[in-house]
Amino acid sequence: MQGAGFRRTGMEWFSSLPACLLLLAVVLFSTSSDIHNRMLQAGEAIWSGYYKLRMDPVAPTCDPARNIDAAVAAEMAKAPADDDPMAALLGAEKKDPAEVRTAIERSVANCQQAHQTYELLKDQLTPAVRAYRAVELFVADAIAFGLSSQRYILVILVMLCAVTATLTRHHIAMRAMETRLDYTVSYTIQTIANAMLLGSSAIFRQSSLGAETSVSSAELLLHDLWIVGFACLTLASLYRLIRVPEFLKEGGTLNKAFLAVPLYSGMCLISGTYFALIGHASGIGIYLGKMMELADMFLNVGLYVWVGMMLKQTRLATLVFNVFRPWRLPPEMLAVVAVLVAAVPTAYTGASGIFVIAAGAVIYSELRAAGARRQLALAATAMSGSLGVVLRPCLLVVVIAYLNREVTTDELFGWGIWVFVLTSSLFILVAMTVNRRSQFDLAPAAEAFPAMLQAVRPLIPYVLVIAGVVLFYRIALDVKMDEFSAPRLLPVILLAILVYEHVSLKKDRSRVSGELHHQGLERSVRGATNDTTAEIGALLLLLGLSVSIGGVIERSHIMQSVPQAFDSPWSAMLLMVAILVVLGMIMDAFGAVILVTATVANIAYSSGIDPIHFWMVTLVAFELGYLSPPVALNHLLARQVVGEAEILAAQQETGTFYQRHERIIMPLIAMGLSLLVVAFVPLIFYA
């Protein structure tokens, strides 16, 4: 993690304001489709046949008063004579006058019906219909524009936030930059990596222009945006390389300096070098372009991060923890409560890393405020998103079912509940036995229960605000809260909560003494967006380069060296577990699922492993990978949001080896045991 010691200036809105507008545009465009559907239903309910009124009716060109007798005579006159030898030679059929009359009568009837419909529609096209139609068609155009703009919004958002993360030293790395050597090595490699990204994108553009198939103007614009973005990113890293901060210490070693290099830079050098060696220099650009195929998913990641940063600005988390404080729970049990409660929002965000970066700071600060030691709070923060990825309506599970016909969402979510029960139970067991360092002395129920009910009261307005937004979408727009609507509903819910706090706390400041200071609506949104820009830049650039690493694995045909089927499902499962944990260490969840579907999944199926069992193992293995050194992405993300100072303070704590490394070991024990049980116990019953 980087960014320690940096303070944003008054120029912050030059990056934050555009990012805020882009995120609001994503919410607006995605909501406009719901509004449009509702408008079509309302139009049809008010004006029967509204679907036909969406366009101006065109007057029929046929004659409704056509003389049928004259038409029949004219048609029969065209018929060949009975003694015409040429007609007989050509095989022309004689016309039956009755059939000709019937056809003409039918044609005249249809013409009259068309004229009647035209007159009826013309009469129905009142000024009110025209006004309503104008608004409805405007919304339809906005939807079309929004759908076509998703890819461009994503590129601009990624590049804008990546430049911000570069300038603010906020990219995700194994350790922060502490010395001048760390700084120089880190930004030198960043500049090289950014230049490699720029070159690959430029080569990809040229190869696209030289291909046999023509390149549309839209695709060309997309290429240009990538090139301009990477050019700005290269200049930003070069600027930072030249402008060395004065507060950095002298000295340092190369080993530690290389750990300060952002992970995306290392991934870029690995994939870029590989593609260059095989004569495919445009490879990184191609795989980054594949992000555009899932533009809506990556934009949702940005929205989830924004939601988490707005959550930090509210009192909601503090009020939730206040409900449990009267019981005087020991820190270990409070950490269990935090991780279990976090499973629900994790299920909506779709990936544990997204939840950690979105809400990790809130969980850590509340656990510390409740008396939890740093190592325990950091362990719970890193693991806060690890249990909910198997619960409905996790988007990652939906992606798995979409890519694999062998499983359905109902089957995966059904077994996911049992996996959640297992992982939760093992986490509770580890936290309350191996991890326990405090006395288990709960407050008496007679004392704690009334205080808990008193603490629930301030939460009631928040519940009403959330329910109000959800019910409004359900009733007004016919949209229910699920994995598809959550990205556009959650920002609206958090904005509504901020508005409520702005109004309520402005009236009574005394009620919040000693709690989180609410700075007002504008400052809260601005602060949340400031944090969001750097986090989105760090996270999305890392996710994009992990897709490129997946391309290296795919093109190198590493998996072809593995047997395509095993005689024993036990040996196959052992190999699957090792591969899946490693993939979890180096790739984001969505990119890893795509790669596993294309490579590993068929080997597992051919070896007798049940598809549902395999994907449950995959999800748990990924989570273990995100918590496992040397990368331990969830720990890096926790460091990203908690701050380097807290990590250093935790590392200076004394005690046994386990106590000094509790934040790493505790999640490994809990998830490691869970993976062993999920992977091998079911084989006893069907293998």
Side-chain angles (χ1 to χ4, degrees), residues 8-79:
R8 303 198 98 177
T9 67
M11 306 288 284
E12 58 195 9
W13 272 115
F14 276 97
S15 61
S16 301
L17 181 58
C20 182
L21 295 176
L22 288 172
L23 292 171
L24 286 174
V26 174
V27 175
L28 180 62
F29 287 142
S30 59
T31 306
S32 62
S33 61
D34 304 320
I35 297 173
H36 185 247
N37 290 336
R38 218 47 171 163
M39 291 185 71
L40 288 176
Q41 295 173 7
E44 185 66 24
I46 298 172
W47 301 285
S48 179
Y50 172 76
Y51 291 99
K52 297 178 181 179
L53 299 174
R54 297 184 72 232
M55 302 296 294
D56 288 332
V58 179
T61 57
C62 62
D63 182 9
R66 185 181 180 188
N67 189 309
I68 296 178
D69 293 331
V72 171
E75 192 67 26
M76 292 303 298
K78 297 178 183 177

Side-chain angles (χ1 to χ4, degrees), residues 331-337 339 367 373-384 386-387 423-424 426-437 624 627 629 635 657-674:
E332 294 83 3
M333 183 172 287
L334 194 61
V336 168
V337 171
V339 173
L367 286 175
R373 55 191 178 275
R374 284 189 176 87
Q375 288 281 350
L376 177 61
L378 289 171
T381 301
M383 199 176 173
S384 59
S386 297
L387 304 187
T423 53
S424 301
L426 290 176
F427 176 65
I428 294 172
L429 180 65
V430 172
M432 301 308 297
T433 56
V434 179
N435 229 51
R436 185 174 170 185
R437 292 168 60 182
L624 179 60
L627 295 166
H635 286 287
F657 178 83
Y658 178 87
Q659 292 170 346
R660 286 183 283 112
H661 302 280
E662 181 181 8
R663 65 188 179 92
I664 301 293
I665 300 176
M666 175 190 173
L668 288 181
I669 294 176
M671 294 307 297
L673 290 175
S674 300

Side-chain angles (χ1 to χ4, degrees), residues 215-237:
V215 180
S216 65
S217 57
E219 294 293 332
L220 195 60
L221 176 59
L222 204 59
H223 284 299
D224 293 337
L225 286 175
W226 279 117
I227 292 172
V228 172
F230 285 129
C232 294
L233 190 59
T234 304
L235 292 175
S237 58

Side-chain angles (χ1 to χ4, degrees), residues 143-165:
I143 295 172
F145 176 76
L147 291 175
S148 62
S149 301
Q150 276 189 332
R151 298 185 301 169
Y152 309 114
I153 292 175
L154 177 60
V155 175
I156 295 172
L157 186 66
V158 170
M159 292 293 95
L160 175 68
C161 296
V163 170
T164 303

Side-chain angles (χ1 to χ4, degrees), residues 237-414:
S237 58
L238 185 61
Y239 169 78
R240 274 299 177 197
L241 177 61
I242 298 172
R243 297 290 298 271
V244 181
E246 297 181 357
F247 62 83
L248 292 173
K249 299 182 294 185
E250 298 292 341
T253 62
L254 278 177
N255 290 337
K256 290 186 176 180
F258 281 117
L259 293 177
V261 176
L263 295 180
Y264 91 87
S265 299
M267 291 180 173
C268 178
L269 292 178
I270 293 172
S271 56
T273 302
Y274 172 80
F275 286 128
L277 290 176
I278 65 172
H280 192 56
S282 60
I284 301 181
I286 292 173
Y287 280 97
L288 283 176
K290 288 188 175 182
M291 288 178 64
M292 302 300 100
E293 299 174 6
L294 300 172
D296 55 343
M297 184 187 76
F298 286 102
L299 287 173
N300 289 344
V301 171
L303 290 176
Y304 285 132
V305 174
W306 194 34
V307 166
M309 297 309 162
M310 284 193 286
L311 179 63
K312 285 172 56 178
Q313 301 292 326
T314 71
R315 301 169 56 233
L316 189 57
T318 301
L319 295 176
V320 170
F321 273 88
N322 286 345
V323 174
F324 300 98
R325 286 193 177 100
W327 293 95
R328 295 200 296 269
L329 298 175
E332 294 83 3
M333 183 172 287
L334 194 61
V336 168
V337 171
V339 173
L340 294 183
V341 171
V344 175
T346 300
Y348 280 93
T349 58
S352 61
I354 299 173
F355 181 79
V356 170
I357 206 168
V362 177
I363 292 175
Y364 179 81
S365 61
E366 293 301 329
L367 286 175
R368 288 289 294 150
R373 55 191 178 275
R374 284 189 176 87
Q375 288 281 350
L376 177 61
L378 289 171
T381 301
M383 199 176 173
S384 59
S386 297
L387 304 187
V389 294
V390 292
L391 298 179
R392 190 182 296 271
C394 180
L395 183 59
L396 186 60
V397 176
V398 176
V399 172
I400 291 174
Y402 175 77
L403 295 175
N404 298 267
R405 296 182 178 179
E406 295 83 0
V407 295
T408 65
T409 53
D410 288 338
E411 292 172 336
L412 292 174
F413 285 132

